[in-house]
Amino acid sequence: MRTPPNERLTPDIADTPRARTASEPERRCVISGETAPREILVRLAVSPDGLVLPDAQEKAPGRGAWIGVDRAGLEQAIASGKLKGGLSRAFKTGELDIPENLPQLVEDALTRVFLDRLGLEMRVGHLILGTQRIAEHARGGALALLCHASDASEDGRKKLDQAWRVGRETEGSGERGLELPLDRNALSVALGRDNVVHLALADDAAADRVLKPLTRLMHFLGQDLPAADGRAIARAE
């Protein structure tokens, strides 16, 4: 669900319990003027020669600016000049060079951070792959996070979602694993495995580390965010 550019930041950001933790630092979006938790917004940085680029890992030196709109909102803000005005006030520097493909650069950067995190969790043994292994962990109530590739078959999803609900003792709730904004090919290439259609994590801390970049990516793409507990979303079967 996308947010019209002339409205406030999506209720997903402002209202979800995951996004309202007192200890979380907030930042102001230079496009909308709304404030939201930093973990949801995307940081932009400017190079010494004035080139504006995404800083998805928040490590670039110097002053940064934050955006909380989705991709459609960013595209409109670039076309209308609203982004340039907001960045000029934020950076207080000379002429800025805003790439026409900045929305794609942001999406690519957020996707890369998310996939890198999945790769790290796989290397330390936290990532669970393979339908059978995932189903066993799910039925035993041992999963903290269940995810499906965007092109996963409905039958395959339903079987794992059912196992997920059995393990969570939430049968009849309609809870389902998260649908990732990436297909099986992207996941397989990133993880160096064949046919990665489903993935899961049992460790709560690892799940939180994966959810952080995933939530940011999903918000930028205008997709429904994870539920308040960060584990599953409820949809009609």
Side-chain angles (χ1 to χ4, degrees), residues 3-128:
T3 303
N6 61 344
E7 292 186 6
R8 66 192 292 275
L9 291 183
T10 65
D12 298 293
I13 297 177
D15 301 330
T16 180
R18 266 184 59 79
R20 284 202 319 269
T21 302
S23 61
E24 289 180 352
E26 292 192 336
R27 295 292 185 270
R28 185 180 299 277
C29 172
V30 296
I31 296 174
S32 69
E34 296 284 340
T35 58
R38 193 177 78 175
E39 69 173 22
I40 300 294
L41 277 65
V42 179
R43 187 177 190 265
L44 300 179
V46 60
S47 69
D49 58 357
L51 181 62
V52 176
L53 294 171
D55 178 25
Q57 293 185 320
E58 304 171 26
K59 293 182 179 180
R63 181 187 296 271
W66 299 80
I67 57 171
V69 296
D70 62 13
R71 177 165 177 158
L74 177 57
E75 290 171 349
Q76 184 173 50
I78 292 174
S80 66
K82 192 171 184 179
L83 176 64
K84 186 172 184 179
L87 292 178
S88 295
R89 290 189 294 272
F91 289 126
K92 295 180 174 62
T93 59
E95 189 66 23
L96 295 174
D97 180 8
I98 301 176
E100 292 183 1
N101 66 335
L102 181 62
Q104 187 61 51
L105 293 176
V106 172
E107 180 177 338
D108 291 345
L110 295 179
T111 300
R112 185 165 55 251
V113 170
F114 169 62
L115 290 176
D116 285 348
R117 171 46 59 186
L118 285 183
L120 287 172
E121 299 301 340
M122 185 176 73
R123 285 195 287 276
V124 297
H126 289 153
L127 204 62
I128 304 169

Side-chain angles (χ1 to χ4, degrees), residues 134-143 146 157-177 232 237:
I134 294 174
E136 291 174 357
H137 281 79
R139 283 191 293 269
L143 289 189
L146 171 64
R157 293 185 196 189
K158 283 185 176 181
K159 288 179 180 178
L160 289 180
D161 291 338
Q162 175 63 20
W164 162 274
R165 291 191 292 270
V166 168
R168 287 166 60 85
E169 299 182 350
T170 58
E171 292 180 85
S173 67
E175 283 188 351
R176 301 183 66 180
E237 288 291 348

